[in-house]
Amino acid sequence: MEHNMILSASGWRKVFAASGDEQDKSPEITETDRSIAVIAADVFFDYISKLTGQSSPVIALGIDARPTGPALADAMIHALIKKGAIIQYSAVTSAPEIMAYAKKLDGFIYISASHNPVGHNGIKFGTNDGGVLCAAKNAKLVEDFLKRLKDDKGVEEAVKKAYSCTTSELKSVYDVKDSSKHNALSAYKNFINETITGTDDKEYQTDFFSMLDAYITKNPIGVVCDFNGSSRYQSIDRDYFKERKINFYSINDFEIAHEIIPEAENLVHVAAEMERLHKEGYNEVVLGYMPDCDGDRGNIVYWDEKAGKAVILKAQEVFSLSVLAELTYSIWQHSDEKDFKPAVAVNCPTSMRIEEIAKALGAEVFRAEVGEANVVNLAREKRSEGYTVRILGEGSNGGTITYPAAVRDPLNTIFALLKLLMMRDGGIYQLWCNKSGWKYKEDFTLTDIIDSLPKYTTTGVSEPRAVLKVKTTDHSKLKAAFQKAFEADWKKKSADLKKKYGIESWEAVITNGTKETRDVKDFSKSGKGGLKVLFKDKDKKPVAFIWMRGSGTEPVFRIMCDVKGDNADMEKALLEWETDLIKKADK
């Protein structure tokens, strides 16, 4: 049976709308897709049953807010009933919520295509460790799934078996939907309290939140959300802010009103709403966010009181602010422990501003290949070596993961920024100013905090310049050819680069999975992983880098450049040079 799905660890995805149109909002799916859902559920059940030794494992099942979610969930419920699973179906649930909920169960299946257009859908699998299955475990599932799909007769029998379940069996799953959702929300709320405060000690949590509440009572704060019909509308957001006495406003609660990916071009709606609120006198609104459909990602808009308007933060800025907040918070919390070793785990194309922030605060930075699972696993490795990795993520898309969470979460991002604002006397922003040599002023605002960030110029991940179509499918071969072209060009250009930009030397760095290798002599060794060329000044200090990595799912190379300082000309020139060299190599 044909499936044409992308089967990556971050989710199995395809267009599930019956018409095949990726913008179709219809809830219908085809018979073939119903069969795919049944086989996927069977495969995961067998995996989790074997892993836990349970013949009736408890599996959480949830969907994001896409129209095809209910039909796919229904097919999976049929399959799981016949397999003997105990199903906790919570209908529309956000990704961080189902992952928090599953921590007390055996595993979860989450139906979502994250930030892809509305006609797409997909499936994410996980156990009870708070995240999705890692690449190696996902690969086992994929292998089993593809093997079963090849056997047409087997597929037919599996579907027939799934649909032989009785109406009373089905009813008993759907009847507990509300209580499953209630349990998911409450597990998620407890988990968010632990993530924000950095401890599961209830007494500490109470003290921490009463400190925030006292600040808010004196200095009202408002947050606005463009739900864009996402699963977060049915999560804890509204109640959670209300409980903290933070004024909460929202738009597009039920409807996917525009494109789903929370990049700058789609944050204009929440920015406009923030400006409207300010015009109407709601001047306490300082932050806005827009989540993607599964609600694990949300980028940020803030009110710039100097300019008197809402400003959309770039992904790398959102991440830098979160790192600044959570690293200083971690130091504030643990500084009296003598074996405290703070660290941050990031992906290869995260801007070097993170190294600058970490250096000022005495923390280490570790880098992994692109992919949330790589960064999460690198952080786990470093924790086992004795580091405290409070914050991790992929600066290139603004995704912030705050330990003990193993998934991005816009609430954690918002509260990282609120911590910076609300912890005043001897607070964490003051700590940052003391360590970084930035001038601290008593009545600081978010704009002041943003001004204190190290200045860098970085290619945005969603810019057309950041994606290059390539013909060569062998990435090692392409990178070997790139190296040849680069080294030849370096000889010609080095005097010019030195004069113009102070670049005197370079170093190649590669990332594969959780491993970073420095000073690499053979670029092709990076294979399908990330390749970075670091440019250094006369003191051997990095002043810029160019980076590349082939997409695992389409014939393109993602590229970017990061330059120290406010220097758009240098960023543009280096990125153009990289583009030309790749085109030259791609013969």
Side-chain angles (χ1 to χ4, degrees):
M1 193 176 95
E2 283 302 307
H3 69 88
N4 64 19
M5 284 183 101
I6 288 164
L7 300 165
S8 82
S10 57
W12 301 3
R13 296 187 302 277
K14 73 189 276 292
V15 175
F16 273 101
S19 65
D21 171 9
E22 66 166 36
Q23 295 295 350
D24 186 353
K25 289 187 176 180
S26 141
E28 310 298 322
I29 63 170
T30 63
E31 284 305 317
T32 303
D33 286 346
R34 190 164 286 129
S35 308
I36 283 177
V38 166
I39 301 302
D42 279 1
V43 163
F44 181 69
F45 176 91
D46 292 348
Y47 172 82
I48 213 86
S49 177
K50 191 175 162 199
L51 182 75
T52 58
Q54 309 273 354
S55 56
S56 302
V58 185
I59 297 173
L61 175 66
I63 59 178
D64 75 9
R66 290 162 197 278
T68 52
L72 289 167
D74 191 68
M76 290 188 136
I77 288 168
H78 277 81
L80 292 170
I81 286 172
K82 290 314 282 186
K83 285 293 222 176
I86 297 167
I87 308 159
Q88 304 290 317
Y89 178 53
S90 56
V92 177
T93 310
S94 69
E97 181 187 330
I98 199 167
M99 291 176 203
Y101 182 36
K103 277 174 167 289
K104 297 205 165 54
L105 315 175
D106 294 312
F108 70 85
I109 300 175
Y110 185 53
I111 297 170
S112 162
S114 193
H115 55 264
N116 290 30
V118 66
H120 290 244
N121 218 326
I123 310 161
K124 293 177 192 263
F125 303 100
T127 57
N128 47 16
D129 65 0
V132 292
L133 291 181
C134 70
K137 289 171 182 162
N138 177 64
K140 281 199 181 81
L141 243 54
V142 168
E143 192 185 338
D144 191 11
F145 177 67
L146 294 176
K147 198 168 86 194
R148 293 193 205 193
L149 283 188
K150 277 201 187 92
D151 171 11
D152 287 342
K153 199 162 167 35
V155 170
E156 202 179 311
E157 278 166 17
V159 173
K160 206 162 133 192
K161 184 182 167 192
Y163 281 85
S164 71
C165 69
T166 64
T167 35
S168 71
E169 284 174 314
L170 268 176
K171 189 174 177 303
S172 68
V173 172
Y174 283 108
D175 277 353
V176 298
K177 185 177 80 177
D178 291 346
S179 71
S180 295
K181 176 65 179 173
H182 174 82
N183 293 342
L185 288 171
S186 122
Y188 182 34
K189 189 187 147 187
N190 289 336
F191 189 59
I192 275 282
N193 287 343
E194 184 181 338
T195 316
I196 289 168
T197 57
T199 176
D200 57 3
D201 177 335
K202 291 284 187 278
E203 219 172 298
Y204 183 103
Q205 290 180 7
T206 308
D207 289 349
F208 178 84
F209 285 121
S210 35
M211 170 180 76
L212 291 198
D213 295 348
Y215 176 80
I216 294 164
T217 311
K218 284 205 221 77
N219 311 274
I221 276 186
V223 171
V224 58
C225 175
D226 171 6
F227 280 115
N228 195 31
S230 113
S231 57
R232 287 214 82 90
Y233 172 65
Q234 295 179 47
S235 195
I236 64 173
D237 301 35
R238 187 179 302 275
D239 290 341
Y240 198 78
F241 284 111
K242 212 177 257 170
E243 200 179 313
R244 298 271 70 85
K245 321 238 184 342
I246 291 168
N247 298 336
F248 186 76
Y249 309 86
S250 66
I251 54 172
N252 301 324
D253 292 359
F254 310 103
E255 192 203 349
I256 299 179
H258 50 77
E259 283 294 337
I260 288 168
I261 190 162
E263 297 292 352
E265 61 275 16
N266 299 318
L267 287 162
V268 293
H269 310 281
V270 68
E273 177 63 5
M274 193 184 267
E275 300 199 332
R276 188 190 74 76
L277 287 164
H278 271 261
K279 270 201 190 79
E280 293 197 3
Y282 299 99
N283 296 331
E284 88 290 4
V285 179
V286 289
L287 284 171
Y289 66 109
M290 176 210 143
D292 56 358
C293 202
D294 62 346
D296 66 353
R297 201 175 138 185
N299 283 358
I300 303 284
V301 174
Y302 77 100
W303 186 258
D304 182 336
E305 72 290 336
K306 288 181 187 160
K309 62 176 192 180
V311 176
I312 296 167
L313 276 176
K314 293 190 174 83
Q316 299 268 13
E317 292 173 323
V318 174
F319 186 66
S320 301
L321 278 169
S322 301
V323 168
L324 173 59
E326 294 300 349
L327 251 188
T328 46
Y329 180 68
S330 192
I331 291 164
W332 181 82
Q333 207 174 18
H334 299 284
S335 57
D336 52 353
E337 298 166 22
K338 62 175 190 309
D339 52 358
F340 171 62
K341 291 195 298 185
V344 189
V346 298
N347 71 0
C348 191
T350 296
S351 164
M352 295 186 294
R353 59 191 92 184
I354 297 305
E355 267 85 357
E356 238 180 272
I357 292 168
K359 193 176 173 211
L361 295 167
E364 298 236 17
V365 177
F366 298 104
R367 289 179 179 259
E369 190 186 339
V370 162
E372 197 167 313
N374 291 324
V375 180
V376 169
N377 286 328
L378 174 63
R380 283 181 182 146
E381 285 171 23
K382 293 301 163 190
R383 279 187 208 106
S384 70
E385 291 169 25
Y387 287 94
T388 298
V389 188
R390 162 94 181 128
I391 181 132
L392 51 140
E394 302 194 275
S396 46
N397 59 33
T400 304
I401 303 173
T402 316
Y403 185 73
V407 63
R408 296 173 291 189
D409 192 321
L411 285 188
N412 288 336
T413 309
I414 289 278
F415 271 90
L417 305 187
L418 289 176
K419 269 182 213 156
L420 279 168
L421 276 176
M422 293 180 203
M423 293 171 71
R424 292 275 159 165
D425 308 325
I428 59 180
Y429 174 61
Q430 195 169 0
L431 180 78
W432 159 247
C433 288
N434 295 345
K435 301 243 183 198
S436 66
W438 188 260
K439 192 174 176 326
Y440 176 73
K441 56 181 214 202
E442 297 281 316
D443 57 347
F444 68 88
T445 63
L446 198 55
T447 312
D448 296 316
I449 299 171
I450 291 164
D451 284 345
S452 80
L453 287 172
K455 302 282 175 280
Y456 277 76
T457 311
T458 315
T459 318
V461 69
S462 63
E463 289 184 47
R465 304 184 299 149
V467 180
L468 216 52
K469 287 229 179 316
V470 291
K471 298 189 287 282
T472 316
T473 49
D474 181 340
H475 296 184
S476 297
K477 202 174 131 193
L478 184 57
K479 285 167 181 167
F482 172 84
Q483 179 171 2
K484 221 168 138 181
F486 171 77
E487 287 175 346
D489 247 12
W490 172 262
K491 286 201 181 88
K492 280 186 245 164
K493 288 193 167 156
S494 61
D496 197 32
L497 288 167
K498 182 176 169 176
K499 197 169 99 194
K500 248 189 190 153
Y501 307 123
I503 292 173
E504 300 220 356
S505 63
W506 59 271
E507 175 195 359
V509 181
I510 62 177
T511 44
N512 296 90
T514 59
K515 190 172 176 331
E516 178 186 60
T517 315
R518 303 290 303 243
D519 203 14
V520 174
K521 299 298 176 233
D522 175 1
F523 292 9
S524 73
K525 283 216 162 77
S526 64
K528 286 196 176 310
L531 167 66
K532 180 192 284 184
V533 180
L534 268 180
F535 295 109
K536 300 177 182 180
D537 64 13
K538 60 179 190 317
D539 303 320
K540 297 269 186 287
K541 286 204 169 65
V543 286
F545 71 69
I546 50 174
W547 169 90
M548 69 184 79
R549 179 179 177 267
S551 162
T553 52
E554 46 199 331
V556 298
F557 252 56
R558 301 201 178 276
I559 60 171
M560 65 161 280
C561 173
D562 184 47
V563 171
K564 188 171 164 55
D566 185 2
N567 199 335
D569 292 346
M570 181 172 172
E571 183 268 342
K572 191 171 170 240
L574 290 176
L575 192 77
E576 278 172 5
W577 182 29
E578 177 182 13
T579 305
D580 291 344
L581 289 171
I582 293 173
K583 282 181 177 160
K584 217 180 268 178
D586 185 32
K587 289 282 181 275

